[in-house]
Every structure is written in structure tokens, then in C-alpha cells.
Amino acid sequence: MRLLYMALGRDLRARDAGTTHTTNILKALRDKGVKITLMAKNTKGVPDGIKRIEVDLPKKQTFMPSARTMDMVCEMTPSVDLIQERVEESGGIGVKLAQLLKRPIVLEINTPLSGHPSPLVRRIANWNLRRQAKAASAIITQTPISKRIIEQYSPAPVYVVPNGADPKVFFPEVKPAELPNDARHRPVIAFAGSLRPWHGVDRMIEAGKHLLTIHRNAYFLFIGGGERLDELKVMAAEQLGEGNYLFTGEVAPEEVPGYLAAAKV
């Protein structure tokens, strides 16, 4: 199968969870024999065996692409059987390309609702997301919660594909990260991921409050950053109590295995 994977809103030089996910999904597809062409803003660090096309478009042109932009993208695109687009808030060019080429399109929606601080921008971004989702042949997302949200605004079938990761960096011999003295000799329960509304970290805090009434020695570790960081810190202080938790904030991908190695759960 010949696949065009579009990630026009992503700089693949970035050292974040989104890039880790994208590069590992590409590796997995390549290893299954899929012939991949990647179209992205920057393709440095992309796995070998993948054809690359670099396209750096202004957000306006990915959101509402002109006929000239679409002609340019069509000319760059090789013959493919399927298009897969990693959807960003300002995206939409992949759906138009699929319609022009008469090819099915799978949308990868990892952010089912906009978290932009501006109500106007958030409203426009959510409208754009729904517009794309309704035109998709199929949709993949990372969690069952995201799936339920997407099914509320799209008739397309939605499939859950967990986060892409490199299993080779997670092994028993990984040296555990150093945690505060409060965590020493205590069973650590960890969450790793972005602190977004649909990731349910608030439920982990609520469950932790009850768990501490049974296992007072439990310690909670939240690995990652995101728009709810400050809100969840306040919630943890109220429900878990000081000295019973740690929020790391954003960490580099290579640091995640060490933090997880420090956890029991």
C-alpha cells in the first residue's frame, strides 16, 4: 500500500510527545511494508526508508488553502492509495487533497477539542475540526475518551490506536529518576502524558484521595505538562495533600523511561 502521511502543522525536529508519537507510528507502518511518503514542515530525524516532502505553509493556507496552494500540493504528491493526516487546529488541507485526488483519507485526531485560551479562536478551531471529521473516511485517536468526543460530531468510524512509542527505550535496567525525599520508600503511582481535559487526570486525583484513606503511604507522580497543569496542582493540593505528589511539568522524551522506572504502578 502507498500512503501519504501529512503532518503539515508539525516540526519533526521538536522534542515533544507529538513528534515521538508521529515518528514511531511512521516506523511501525514502514516495518509492516507500507510505502510511505511523508509531507511535513520539517522532516529531519524521520526514520530511514520513508520518502520525504517538505512543505512549509502559513497557517492561513492550511486552514483555507487557495486554489494555487492546492495545485502546488497536488503536483508534489506522488501516486498514493490512501492519505492519512495528523490533524492540527489550523489544518484541513488533507481533506481537500483527498477530494481532489479521489482517495480515502484517515484523520488522526489526537486533540478532539481545542484548548486555545481565546473563546473566538477556540470556536473557530472546533468548527474546523468538525468540518474535517465529517469528511473523513475513518478517524483514529489515542484514547476511548477521545473516541467518545469525536463520535459526537462525526459520522465516520473512529478507531482507538494508542500513543506511538519506542519500546526499546523501556526496559527493566533503566535507572529510576530521582524523586523528592517525600517519595522515598513509598509505592509510586504514575501518569505520563499531556495534561489535557480528555486525559482524565482529575479522576486519578479523585481516586488517589480515596486510596490514601486505605494506603496512606501511596505517592502520586504526574509526568508531563499541558493546559490543565495549574488547575490540577490546586486540585492535588486539596485532595492528596502536600508531600504526597509531584508534577514534573514537561520533560524531554529520553527522561520519561527513568520517571516510569521509579513507579510501581
Side-chain angles (χ1 to χ4, degrees):
M1 184 178 69
R2 300 165 299 174
L3 172 71
L4 174 66
Y5 188 101
M6 305 182 71
L8 294 180
R10 176 149 296 277
D11 185 342
L12 295 178
R13 296 171 300 181
R15 298 168 63 79
D16 58 15
T19 297
T20 299
H21 171 79
T22 300
T23 54
N24 283 291
I25 288 292
L26 291 172
K27 284 180 185 177
L29 290 170
R30 177 202 62 189
D31 293 346
K32 289 184 177 295
V34 178
K35 296 180 179 178
I36 305 169
T37 298
L38 170 66
M39 185 179 289
K41 180 178 181 180
N42 188 291
T43 61
K44 291 182 180 178
V46 171
D48 294 333
I50 295 173
K51 184 177 179 181
R52 312 171 191 192
I53 301 173
E54 292 193 355
V55 182
D56 189 1
L57 294 173
K59 282 189 175 181
K60 181 180 178 181
Q61 285 302 317
T62 60
F63 177 52
M64 297 290 285
S66 64
R68 183 177 180 181
T69 296
M70 290 310 306
D71 287 343
M72 178 190 73
V73 173
C74 284
E75 289 177 7
M76 291 177 145
T77 303
S79 180
V80 296
D81 303 304
L82 175 69
I83 297 172
Q84 179 172 331
E85 182 176 25
R86 180 186 171 92
V87 174
E88 308 287 348
E89 288 186 355
S90 60
I93 200 168
V95 168
K96 283 187 173 293
L97 181 63
Q99 291 169 344
L100 288 170
L101 298 180
K102 295 182 171 58
R103 293 292 184 271
I105 182 165
V106 174
L107 295 182
E108 181 183 325
I109 301 178
N110 300 321
T111 304
L113 294 170
S114 172
H116 198 282
S118 165
L120 176 60
V121 174
R122 189 165 60 246
R123 193 177 306 120
I124 293 172
N126 285 331
W127 168 82
N128 184 45
L129 189 60
R130 291 191 296 271
R131 175 175 67 95
Q132 295 177 75
K134 288 177 181 177
S137 307
I139 296 170
I140 59 176
T141 190
Q142 295 171 329
T143 68
I145 294 175
S146 295
K147 179 178 187 290
R148 289 196 292 271
I149 294 172
I150 295 167
E151 286 174 336
Q152 293 176 13
Y153 57 71
S154 175
V158 184
Y159 303 94
V160 175
V161 178
N163 283 317
D166 184 357
K168 295 177 182 178
V169 302
F170 300 92
F171 51 92
E173 292 77 18
V174 171
K175 181 181 178 181
E178 291 189 12
L179 300 180
N181 290 336
D182 291 334
R184 290 185 179 179
H185 310 299
R186 300 173 68 179
V188 176
I189 301 167
F191 165 87
S194 57
L195 305 180
R196 311 301 291 272
W198 49 88
H199 284 177
V201 181
D202 52 344
R203 294 184 181 181
M204 178 175 169
I205 294 173
E206 291 169 358
K209 177 183 178 181
H210 294 289
L211 183 62
L212 284 169
T213 64
I214 305 169
H215 300 283
R216 296 183 180 180
N217 208 32
Y219 188 89
F220 300 87
L221 175 62
F222 303 93
I223 309 162
E227 64 203 63
R228 296 194 70 191
L229 177 59
D230 291 340
E231 174 192 350
L232 291 169
K233 280 183 175 180
V234 172
M235 184 178 180
E238 294 173 348
Q239 300 200 28
L240 301 180
E242 293 298 332
N244 291 325
Y245 66 90
L246 171 68
F247 285 87
T248 66
E250 291 188 3
V251 299
E254 61 268 19
E255 294 178 31
V256 175
Y259 277 112
L260 290 179
K264 294 294 183 183
V265 180

